[in-house]
Amino acid sequence: MARIVMKFGGTSVADLEHIRNVARRVRREVEAGHQVVVTVSAMAGETNKLVGWVKDAAALADLREYDAVVSSGENVTAGLLALVLQADGVAARSWQGWQIPVVTDAAHGSARIQRIETDELERRLAEGQVAVIAGFQGLEPERNRITTLGRGGTDTSGVALAAALGAERCDIYTDVDGVYTSDPRIVAKARKLEKVTYEEMLEMASLGAKVLQTRSVEMAMKHRVRVQVRSSFSDAPGTLVVDEDEILEQAVVSGVTYSRDEAKITLMGVPDRPGFAASIFGPLAEAAINVDMIVQSVSGDGERTDMTFTVTKHDLARAVELLSGRQADLAFGELRQDSDVVKVSVIGVGMRSHAGVAQKMFKTLADKGINIQVISTSEIKVSVLISEAYTELALRSLHTAYGLDAV
Amino acid sequence: MARIVMKFGGTSVADLEHIRNVARRVRREVEAGHQVVVTVSAMAGETNKLVGWVKDAAALADLREYDAVVSSGENVTAGLLALVLQADGVAARSWQGWQIPVVTDAAHGSARIQRIETDELERRLAEGQVAVIAGFQGLEPERNRITTLGRGGTDTSGVALAAALGAERCDIYTDVDGVYTSDPRIVAKARKLEKVTYEEMLEMASLGAKVLQTRSVEMAMKHRVRVQVRSSFSDAPGTLVVDEDEILEQAVVSGVTYSRDEAKITLMGVPDRPGFAASIFGPLAEAAINVDMIVQSVSGDGERTDMTFTVTKHDLARAVELLSGRQADLAFGELRQDSDVVKVSVIGVGMRSHAGVAQKMFKTLADKGINIQVISTSEIKVSVLISEAYTELALRSLHTAYGLDAV
């Protein structure tokens, strides 16, 4: 007998027929003798509808009200799943975030879970009752207002419940059957990974693979929760996200990801003196504009140079407006922008012990005539910014070069 | 400065455009210097959708889960209205039942409000903040699970809030502009009543006029809450539901109502002996089948008689099945059923002091050749069961006979 947490996303609970399918999976685990906690998202499309209404209602929404509105979709699916389970003869009740409670900080709209009071859940699990928990939501520290955990937050609900309850595993049921070496829609030879490390999954999540909410992976890594990503539409084994030492033979590179959500800004002819970078990035940070990759050209004359960096496409207009308004102050010559760019990354914990990974990336791209505009690296990944037109070519070439192709 | 409660039904908050209209009305009251509490229903159609899902999910739904699911629609409209008010510059926050809390009994699906903890609401009203409260919902005594108050329950939320907060008035905004002497869709000469007594409103609500939830009128009567029924789509004055002594000149009859939700059962040749009625109505009561009108013929021979009574159309099949199964036991000859019937009632507190009201009803119907099948009376109403085909003729004739026609 084990204790497991099962998380089902919006496409898995899209309507009653899908919810019945979820109930069958839950029942199977109960019949296998497990203690089961389920957490569910809102029906597919529901949260988008609610977010749309909030945006229409008020341009600058009070995030406490945003949370009150958008959390309602999960209450519906949790209640319906409890009902379907009961009709199937499985003891179950639904729980909203405030009923447990799942206590978060007060950062409405993207709150962080601080603590889950598990006493009553423990008691009922021991009695064989399934707990069906509305995902994505919590209760702020003063315990009166509802919070939400940010888009994809039900992943984090699942992992946090698994950590708080000491569950053996958190199964994330979604519409893909696991984590792939690359996007199978682009790279036909992409393979499903049997296992991937927390660190790699974290890079993949933040570098464009939409399988798991980044924060849920951070939490899984911190609390060493074994996470399995699998499909709610098939019985194929999924991908286990685990500690590095659980993976016997680690590939140097585990995946090739991309993100089209990047835009490049180049400031031409900026003064080549200390403090200039701070004078640019300070105001951007104050405006909550996240800067990702940064490169500064080596100046020819020691007086003027170029500064290139990336922001999300969403922030591009605001960033350009902010910088153009200070052109005189900042004393740069010209601002160039380009949103036809893509960030391609190779990821693998094996890089720590293998040299030449970045070199192979640069050579592979050069061989295909792909120009690299910006480079950034971390301990377990190398990212390059290239022209968006080369996305598919770059992904396929790198996938082959690192020996990831399915045989 | 007064304190008022405003209640808006589903058609009044059907979408964001309607919610903006509601916000304008709320703002007008705030600008007039009033302290304002608003309670809202779910968007029109939303609760029906949720109830439909619950019924599809489980034939015999756990009413605690039913409540968890169907209460979610009000959370959405309360949050959206708070946002629109804020965008209009009106300080506001939304409240869900558990956040106040509105404490009810544990009768899930049709809970009764026991107590509303108003301390925090009072504090914020004093600061000029509008409280936007999700109607229809509460929290059971153990304070963990959500309850709902039954269909139309937001009327009761509004009246209960007005009573708990000592509000000057509870304005019920709906899609009709007041209480009419009869259904204007049938009786073209129906007039809007300027005032109506609690007792009359209570009879009208339970006899088919769908303007207010019956329970809300009972509560208004008990706590002497002045209720105004008015349209959210016009500025015409509505109908005030008030104490009898607030109405200077009371008409003998205030309204003529009808209910098509009746079905007649006749048991032929039942034994004319003490205890027989109990042997029929006991089992029906145990099966939660409500019996409304009852008539027993005078027996010719003192041994056998006929017993006629009405149940709701919804309960007819169950009642017939239950009684037929006991035909031998109960020793009646034949069971006849008829759903082509309508109950027509005339209502007025003036009846107490005026004789001849019932007689005028019987004569008016007789003059039109309408046969009366069953009669029941109370202190302030007379109801008759007639063939459904005569509904319109009966309503119009009675409306004229009692001098209710608009001039």
Side-chain angles (χ1 to χ4, degrees), chain B residues 132-195:
Chain B
V132 182
I133 296 171
F136 177 59
Q137 58 179 250
L139 186 65
E140 45 75 53
E142 289 188 16
R143 305 206 170 194
N144 190 260
R145 305 215 63 171
I146 295 166
T147 53
T148 64
L149 311 180
R151 296 311 294 267
T154 305
D155 291 339
T156 302
S157 301
V159 173
L161 285 162
L165 291 163
E168 178 170 296
R169 201 171 75 233
C170 178
D171 286 347
I172 306 280
Y173 286 86
T174 177
D175 49 3
V176 296
D177 62 357
V179 180
Y180 278 73
T181 50
S182 194
D183 185 341
R185 288 168 301 182
I186 293 179
V187 181
K189 291 177 178 167
R191 284 183 296 112
K192 184 165 69 183
L193 292 163
E194 192 192 330
K195 291 182 178 176

Side-chain angles (χ1 to χ4, degrees), chain B residues 10-24 232-233:
Chain B
T11 52
S12 305
V13 293
D15 55 32
L16 264 181
E17 213 34 71
H18 283 79
I19 291 174
R20 289 200 183 93
N21 173 53
V22 165
R24 279 189 291 273
S232 56
F233 304 109

